[in-house]
Amino acid sequence: ALASLEEGAAVYRSLVATDPLRMAWKTDFAALLENQASLLLELGQPGRAEPCSAEAVALCRDGLAREPGENGRRVDLAEALETLGDVRAAQHRPVEAGDAWREGLDRLAGLEGTEGRARKSRIRLLLRLHRVEAAREALRGMAAEARREPEFQAFCASHGLKG
């Protein structure tokens, strides 16, 4: 799986280089890099994950700068910062991890009442920052079908919060 992600990253890198204004490619490339970073974390290789994660954050920052009113871009950046925080936590850099998670949470400001990715990202970030009561409150307002997603339930449970 890692080899496929690395091949995909090479293809997207060349696509983005040929047309740097094409945001769809950058968005897909950032998502691929986040997946690559997450896989490298699972494999116990946070040092290799960091450049992938940092590049995903840079791509998402660029997307938000180009479309500042687009809420999806804010969520993309928050999720990329969440992954970067996870990488830094795995590298035993808790201050930098916390900074990334807090910035991700800040990027979601004003989206507290929305469903979907924004709410789930907000809950995950709150839990990473040990703000369990705030996460519990956000979870209460979440639609039942979203709360039942197995991966999301497992994450909440791993932080002592019943999804």
Side-chain angles (χ1 to χ4, degrees):
L2 184 57
S4 296
L5 288 170
E6 289 169 343
E7 278 180 42
V11 169
Y12 272 111
R13 192 168 277 109
S14 69
L15 287 172
V16 167
T18 61
D19 190 355
L21 297 178
R22 193 166 213 165
M23 285 311 305
W25 288 346
K26 287 184 176 185
T27 300
D28 292 345
F29 186 25
L32 183 143
L33 288 167
E34 279 185 74
N35 288 335
Q36 187 175 354
S38 294
L39 179 58
L40 287 164
L41 274 178
E42 286 179 30
L43 296 172
Q45 299 178 33
R48 286 186 61 202
E50 186 169 19
C52 300
S53 187
E55 188 172 3
V57 168
L59 288 165
C60 291
R61 284 189 199 286
D62 182 57
L64 184 59
R66 291 177 191 275
E67 299 175 331
E70 175 59 43
N71 287 341
R73 299 279 179 220
R74 291 169 59 193
V75 178
D76 291 343
L77 180 53
E79 290 175 342
L81 287 161
E82 179 183 351
T83 303
L84 182 61
D86 293 346
V87 168
R88 290 178 174 167
Q91 293 175 316
H92 309 288
R93 295 161 55 192
V95 172
E96 293 172 76
D99 290 345
W101 293 329
R102 275 187 291 285
E103 183 185 347
L105 193 56
D106 290 345
R107 295 296 179 163
L108 297 173
L111 301 178
E112 289 85 355
T114 60
E115 287 296 328
R117 288 175 49 220
R119 187 180 294 251
K120 283 190 243 178
S121 183
R122 183 170 190 275
I123 291 168
R124 287 191 313 266
L125 287 162
L126 287 166
L127 289 172
R128 281 176 166 78
L129 292 165
H130 307 289
R131 295 176 53 191
V132 177
E133 286 308 312
R136 184 174 311 209
E137 185 61 35
L139 188 60
R140 275 190 205 107
M142 185 177 229
E145 62 274 4
R147 286 195 316 253
R148 285 193 292 266
E149 291 178 7
E151 186 177 313
F152 186 69
Q153 276 188 337
F155 179 81
C156 288
S158 73
H159 286 80
L161 188 63
K162 183 175 165 69

